[in-house]
Structure formats: C-alpha cells, structure tokens
Amino acid sequence: MSDSALFGPDNLPYGLFSTPDQPGHRRLGVRFGDDVLDLGAAAAAFGSPHADVLRAPSLSPLLAAGRPVWQEVRSELRDWLTDDTHRATTARHLLPLSDLRLHLPFEVADYVDFYASEHHATNVGRIFRPDGEALTPNWKHLPIGYHGRAGTVVVSGTPVVRPQGQRKPPNESVPVFGPSRRLDIEAEVGFVVGAPSELGSPVGLTGFRDHVFGVTLLNDWSARDLQAWEYVPLGPFLGKSFATSVSPWITPLDALDAARVPPPERDFPLLPYLDDSAEGIEPGGYDLRITVELNGHVIAEPPFATMYWTAAQQLAHMTVNGASLRTGDLYASGTVSGPEHKQRGSLLELTWGGREPLALPEGERAFLEDGDEVVLTAWAPGPGGGRIGLGEVRGRVEPSA
Ligand SMILES: O=C(O)/C=C/C(=O)CC(=O)CC(=O)O
Ligand SMILES: [Ca+2]
Ligand SMILES: [Mg+2]
C-alpha cells in the first residue's frame, strides 16, 4: 500500500521536524503522502486564526487548545491540502519527508501503561505464574496499569541500549548483575492527552473525546529477566523504564471514526463509571491492525480490536480517584495480543518464555540480540473503504554501555 493511500486527506497526522540546513529549528508539520506540510509557514500564508499554535516548536500548545480548536485546525488543513484554489500556495510549503528529521512531537507529561489485552494477560500469567490463576481476580473489574517513566519516552529511530540490572537465574540463590538476556518488545497503542482536567474532578467515559487528542504506535521495550525478579509486589520498574519508543506521527482521533468498533463482550457487569454498555455511550474500541517486523520479517499481526478494556475506560479509571490530567500525558494500551499465535505482541508470548524460539533466516530468536531492529506499523479502516496509516515506530538494539 502506497504512502499516498495511507496518508491521504482523511488522515493528516501531526509531527515535529527539522531540516538538515536548520537542525535547531523545530517546526510542526502534517504528513500528506510522502510530503510534510510546514504548518507554521502555511498558517502564515493563509492567515489562519490558529497561526500562534501552528508556529510553535512543539505540538503541546495545539494539544492544550482543546477539541474545538483541534477540529477547526483539521478542517483548515483539509481545505489547504485538497482545495484546488489553494494548490499553488500549499505546494510552496510541502517538503519531502525523506529530507526531514523527525522529533518527539510533544513534551511527555505523565506516562502510564495498562494491561488491557485478555489474551496477553492470560499468556503472561501462565508464563510468569504457572501455579496460579492466569488472570488475577481484579482483572475483569478494572483496567490494571502502572505509572512509567515519562522522561525515557523516545521517538522512533532512537537506538535502544540493552539495559543492565539485577536478575536471578532460576538455579541460583542470589541475583547477578549484567546486561539483560531477555530483552523484549511490546506492541502497543499510545493515547495522547490534550486538554487537561481539574484535580479532584474525574473524567467520565463521555469525556474521552474532549481530553484525548490522538494516538501513536508505541513499543514498550521490556527486559523480562529484570522484570521477573523485581516486580513483586509493586509491579514493573527498571525492566521497563529504560526506553519506550513512539511513532513520530500523532493521528487525531477524528481520523479514526470509521475504525470504531464495539469492544469484546464483557464477562462481568461493570461498575457504573466503567460501564460502556450504558445508553448514550459510543463504542470505545478501535480496529487498528498492527504489524510487528523483526529484522524485516513479519513476526506478528496483533489486532487492537480484541482489547478487553478501551482507552475511554482507561481514562475514566485513571481519573476516578480525582487525579488530574495534564497536556502531554501519554497512556499506553498494554501489549496487544489476539487469540492466535501469530497475533501475539511480544516475544515472551511468541516464544513462550523463550522455550520455543522463532526460526529466522539469520538464526533462532528467543529474545532480542544486539543489532536486531524492530519496526511496528499499523493501519485502520478509513472513510469510504480507504485506509488510515499510523506512523511506524522503529528501534535497533545496541550493546550495553
Ligand atoms: O506481571 C505481569 O503480569 C506482567 C506485567 C507486564 O508485563 C506489564 C505490562 O507492560 C503490561 C502490558 O503491556 O500489557
Ligand atoms: Ca507494556
Ligand atoms: Mg517502557
């Protein structure tokens, strides 16, 4: 599928770029096929009422501006890019994507990671806790999550240095220190908060579209040996805080309306603040089809539509205690895994804890080796049978420092 078909006028994802001749000058852009429209320059040329947010060196001011502005800007962009009378002006501010360097488009405020795939949670439970129930008793009553490390969220293309830390080999009585031997990926979808909320005021299910601006693909790199030793009883810590990679493109929720789907059937009635079967609540699932490539080989195709908990429920849960949202908060869905083997979004699951390595032309892989490169891509159904591409998230493993 060509880029013009995946990044057409119904998509219009936002990013932050610089050019080789002005590396310190960061500019907002919107992707259109294989080009990027320089938003500050286009806004000045067209006299946009939103020129102040569009010429900022970050997406954060637009995120903070709120949904009415997001919608007005999106309709202006469509107009500039599709109306024949604007063609000549717009063309002057379109730059070839291949000439640009892409940056992390917004300042990440808080970072939260959930655990919302029933298939992933069941697989991980069986692998990590073979003697217990795969799903903990709370799993179908609340979306489980943890707070991660916002400062180590990096843009696609940033090298990932193999983390060092403590791990306890099964037949040793004390831990050892060194480079992780079980470095893994997690294919996830990240949700970017735009409009903040007040401390003490929960955001309900119906507030999702007012607060969440858009989505980004996300790889939650995970050191399984560090994680297995450290996580009891407070949850993931250093095994997941060394790097989290995101796509340089933030796709607005408004581009994903045709991809909305109902979430899976719920097995237990939900408390009212999470009950999305109630009258007047829009379907909270999204049909995003993810592809995971390792060294250029497709190793998994996780289907986001199978996620048990939706992003709207995660937002409602995250704020039900009165915690406030800040512009730039990023929360990740949790690893996306479907029911089939080839739909598993982590090597932990694909190789069943390393016991069933993948056979690749360059050799077997249980976990990642130095030099390995992982690329996540995704698309969603768009209006009129078209496709909405989500930008890729790429990362290569470098040896421990
Ligand atoms: O201990 C466990 O059950 C596993 C926890 C995780 O791996 C946390 C995580 O990142 C969840 C996810 O991405 O779905
Ligand atoms: Ca994760
Ligand atoms: Mg992480």
Side-chain angles (χ1 to χ4, degrees):
M1 170 115 333
S2 76
D3 281 352
S4 50
L6 288 170
F7 296 95
D10 293 318
N11 189 344
L12 306 181
Y14 294 89
L16 189 69
F17 70 91
S18 58
T19 53
D21 54 320
Q22 288 181 292
H25 182 200
R26 296 188 177 192
R27 296 182 252 172
L28 280 180
V30 71
R31 181 159 175 188
F32 191 59
D34 292 327
D35 293 325
V36 174
L37 180 67
D38 179 334
L39 287 180
F46 287 112
S48 166
H50 302 297
D52 52 342
V53 295
L54 297 179
R55 66 167 173 258
S58 159
L59 190 58
S60 298
L62 177 61
L63 295 179
R67 188 153 194 239
V69 174
W70 306 339
Q71 291 178 318
E72 283 167 33
V73 168
R74 185 168 164 79
S75 97
E76 278 191 284
L77 300 183
R78 277 183 72 105
D79 191 37
W80 300 343
L81 287 161
T82 59
D83 189 322
D84 279 346
T85 59
H86 298 324
R87 191 178 297 270
T89 309
T90 303
R92 282 200 287 281
H93 305 294
L94 280 173
L95 306 167
L97 173 61
S98 55
D99 291 352
L100 307 179
R101 171 145 184 231
L102 300 172
H103 305 275
L104 190 64
F106 62 99
E107 292 80 51
V108 181
D110 286 297
Y111 170 54
V112 164
D113 186 23
F114 282 95
Y115 192 39
S117 159
E118 180 173 3
H119 305 289
H120 171 72
T122 303
N123 290 335
V124 173
R126 287 192 181 131
I127 295 165
F128 273 12
R129 296 172 285 275
D131 302 326
E133 287 289 324
L135 291 185
T136 49
N138 55 355
W139 201 92
K140 290 203 168 165
H141 297 280
L142 55 81
I144 294 176
Y146 66 95
H147 283 89
R149 194 165 188 85
T152 56
V153 174
V154 295
V155 75
S156 174
T158 307
V160 174
V161 176
R162 180 179 298 276
Q164 305 206 64
Q166 285 197 22
R167 61 176 194 276
K168 198 184 80 60
N171 35 21
E172 307 274 345
S173 58
V174 291
V176 298
F177 183 89
S180 168
R181 295 190 176 169
R182 289 160 78 88
L183 182 58
D184 199 357
I185 55 155
E186 289 188 332
E188 306 198 21
V189 176
F191 291 82
V192 179
V193 172
S197 69
E198 291 285 326
L199 186 64
S201 300
V203 175
L205 289 172
T206 54
F208 174 66
R209 294 295 288 265
D210 289 330
H211 289 276
V212 174
F213 175 83
V215 308
T216 181
L217 273 180
L218 182 148
N219 184 349
D220 176 24
W221 303 90
S222 300
R224 299 302 180 188
D225 39 3
L226 277 54
Q227 180 185 354
W229 169 235
E230 73 178 0
Y231 85 99
V232 186
L234 289 187
F237 193 43
L238 303 183
K240 285 170 176 284
S241 65
F242 56 96
T244 304
S245 300
V246 294
S247 158
W249 299 108
I250 311 301
T251 302
L253 288 182
D254 286 328
L256 296 174
D257 281 339
R260 298 182 72 152
V261 287
E265 211 49 41
R266 274 66 175 79
D267 293 337
F268 293 95
L270 296 173
L271 287 167
Y273 79 96
L274 292 171
D275 184 7
D276 59 0
S277 66
E279 196 83 29
I281 309 276
E282 296 181 325
Y286 283 98
D287 180 10
L288 313 177
R289 328 262 176 109
I290 304 170
T291 298
V292 183
E293 283 178 46
L294 171 54
N295 298 336
H297 317 292
V298 174
I299 59 165
E301 293 181 314
F304 191 75
T306 61
M307 299 299 272
Y308 193 87
W309 295 104
T310 70
Q313 288 172 319
Q314 292 171 335
L315 191 76
H317 187 61
M318 208 161 47
T319 59
V320 74
N321 63 349
S324 48
L325 299 170
R326 289 192 293 173
T327 297
D329 282 355
L330 172 68
Y331 66 100
S333 59
T335 311
V336 184
S337 291
E340 294 169 31
H341 189 286
K342 68 164 198 304
Q343 296 178 328
R344 297 174 180 172
S346 67
L347 288 170
L348 178 73
E349 297 164 86
L350 288 163
T351 69
W352 209 255
R355 290 194 282 283
E356 300 163 16
L358 300 178
L360 301 183
E362 60 270 40
E364 285 194 338
R365 282 296 183 285
F367 292 96
L368 297 172
E369 299 198 356
D370 293 346
D372 281 353
E373 187 175 57
V374 177
V375 179
L376 312 182
T377 53
W379 62 272
R387 288 185 177 191
I388 303 294
L390 272 62
E392 68 173 30
V393 50
R394 176 184 294 270
R396 186 185 291 277
V397 179
E398 291 192 348
S400 293

